[in-house]
Amino acid sequence: MNDSLSPCSLKPAIAEVAAAVEKMLSHLLPQAEGPEHRVLEAMRYTTLAGGKRLRPFLVVQSADLFGVSRISSMRVAAAVECVHTYSLVHDDLPCMDDDALRRGNPTVHVKYDEATAVLAGDALLTLAFEILAAAETHPDPKVRCALIALLSRSAGVHGMVGGQMIDMAAPDAEHDIQSITRLQQMKTGALISCSAEAGAVLGRAGADKRLALRAYSHDLGLAFQIADDLLDADGTQAEMGKAVGKDAALGKATFVSILGKERARTQATMLASQARQHLDLFGAEADLLRALSDFVVSRRN
Ligand code: GRG
């Protein structure tokens, strides 16, 4: 078993899943027609605009470990990406982060208007659960219910929404490393963990393998967020497709502001290595997940 694959093997694999999930999303998102066409157009505009598609990659790779059909894993990957995209649309709104650029394009409220952006986010969130509830996603209704429970818990007040609330409620609070870790685990980590665990749910995996994927994605999510904080400090708008340097300008507590750049980098590398170790009970078939842990810390966007 390789300790990790070279980026040469990982990048085409990510690109393949990204292309396939975009095809699936294009099929699942309704066409922009009828008197409600504006919200449908905004949903398609923002969802089909690119992005790294890391969460879909996690769903598909973890599902592949259990021999799940690609149609099932792609539908779940599309549902998770709908939730992720909704969170970005709402996060960009003037009442939250007030950003004009996302994935290199004007944000939804800039291209359309605020009401359309709120509605497009709402509709993407609810579409995700419609996708999971459909029989095409998995023949076993218990598996579909488990997927709905997992995604709703991760996206809701105990996960992403709760993390966003803590972030918005006290942006200048004196966060320490424990509180910032909890905030980020909820805001960003919960959906990343959900993506890896969804493969285990689809594959009706035993508790040991499901827990291993949960532990892997917990560390991966934190490493991802530290890398994001470093990119906000060091990256460029052209690389990131969004404004950078906002955290420092707003005096926001981040892993970088608390640990400093060097310790943050060391911590991200350590978490990536720890994430790989959680995959020890899988064989070479988990090599792409191992390689992903290096990728999330070395990425430039
Ligand atoms: C509005 C309920 C609600 C939640 C928003 C996720 C989130 C919570 C806000 C995003 C703010 C942000 C930039 C967080 C940093 C980590 C992150 C989620 C980055 C964006 O994810 P990527 O890098 O984006 O996977 P792409 O565009 O590649 O899909």
Side-chain angles (χ1 to χ4, degrees):
M1 180 197 341
N2 296 336
D3 186 39
S4 68
L5 289 179
S6 73
C8 313
S9 319
L10 181 66
K11 286 201 172 142
I14 294 178
E16 188 206 318
V17 170
V21 82
E22 261 157 50
K23 207 167 152 203
M24 178 60 84
L25 283 163
S26 183
H27 163 72
L28 292 168
L29 284 161
Q31 290 303 318
E33 48 196 24
E36 68 277 38
H37 69 91
R38 189 173 173 83
V39 70
L40 292 164
E41 200 186 299
M43 288 163 74
R44 294 187 70 89
Y45 165 76
T46 188
T47 311
L48 303 176
K52 294 180 288 301
R53 312 297 192 196
L54 290 184
R55 293 157 194 78
F57 186 71
L58 272 172
V59 175
V60 170
Q61 288 306 318
S62 65
D64 277 4
L65 295 174
F66 306 102
V68 172
S69 78
R70 271 291 162 104
I71 179 85
S72 285
S73 60
M74 277 300 163
R75 287 179 65 90
V76 175
V80 172
E81 193 66 7
C82 284
V83 173
H84 170 56
T85 308
Y86 124 75
S87 79
L88 299 179
V89 172
H90 281 193
D91 186 65
D92 289 335
L93 283 167
C95 61
M96 297 213 193
D97 255 15
D98 196 9
D99 275 309
L101 199 64
R102 171 69 66 183
R103 293 172 168 171
N105 297 311
T107 46
V108 179
H109 65 275
V110 168
K111 175 133 175 106
Y112 296 88
D113 54 75
E114 277 184 50
T116 306
V118 170
L119 291 171
D122 291 345
L124 283 169
L125 176 63
T126 42
L127 177 64
F129 294 102
E130 187 182 332
I131 295 167
L132 294 185
E136 297 97 300
T137 297
H138 198 281
D140 183 347
K142 284 192 186 147
V143 169
R144 302 202 297 272
C145 274
L147 289 167
I148 290 167
L150 177 67
L151 183 59
S152 52
R153 212 167 41 240
S154 312
V157 76
H158 301 301
M160 191 171 70
V161 168
Q164 179 78 346
M165 187 72 254
I166 298 170
D167 203 7
M168 308 268 346
D172 302 321
E174 297 216 341
H175 277 293
D176 57 17
I177 192 68
Q178 276 82 22
S179 66
I180 203 81
T181 302
R182 177 169 185 265
L183 183 166
Q184 297 299 359
Q185 262 166 7
M186 291 169 77
K187 190 175 109 168
T188 315
L191 200 60
I192 290 180
S193 287
C194 163
S195 307
E197 243 186 293
V201 172
L202 275 170
R204 290 185 267 223
D208 55 341
K209 291 191 169 161
R210 182 166 172 173
L211 283 175
L213 284 166
R214 188 184 297 168
Y216 159 80
S217 53
H218 172 275
D219 291 342
L220 185 85
L222 280 176
F224 174 92
Q225 184 58 51
I226 296 175
D228 209 74
D229 290 352
L230 284 162
L231 284 168
D232 189 69
D234 282 344
T236 64
Q237 177 167 304
E239 284 172 324
M240 296 291 283
K242 63 177 183 182
V244 292
K246 283 191 75 177
D247 294 341
L250 294 170
K252 267 184 86 166
T254 67
F255 286 112
V256 169
S257 74
I258 292 171
L259 296 175
K261 283 187 202 167
E262 273 324 298
R263 279 181 66 206
R265 238 175 242 117
T266 307
Q267 188 68 13
T269 308
M270 191 275 284
L271 282 161
S273 149
Q274 203 170 281
R276 280 195 298 283
Q277 285 165 30
H278 291 302
L279 298 176
D280 281 354
L281 79 171
F282 298 102
E285 72 275 18
D287 278 350
L288 285 168
L289 289 175
R290 291 185 180 94
L292 186 67
S293 65
D294 287 329
F295 175 78
V296 297
V297 291
S298 62
R299 69 198 172 93
R300 293 301 305 163
N301 71 5

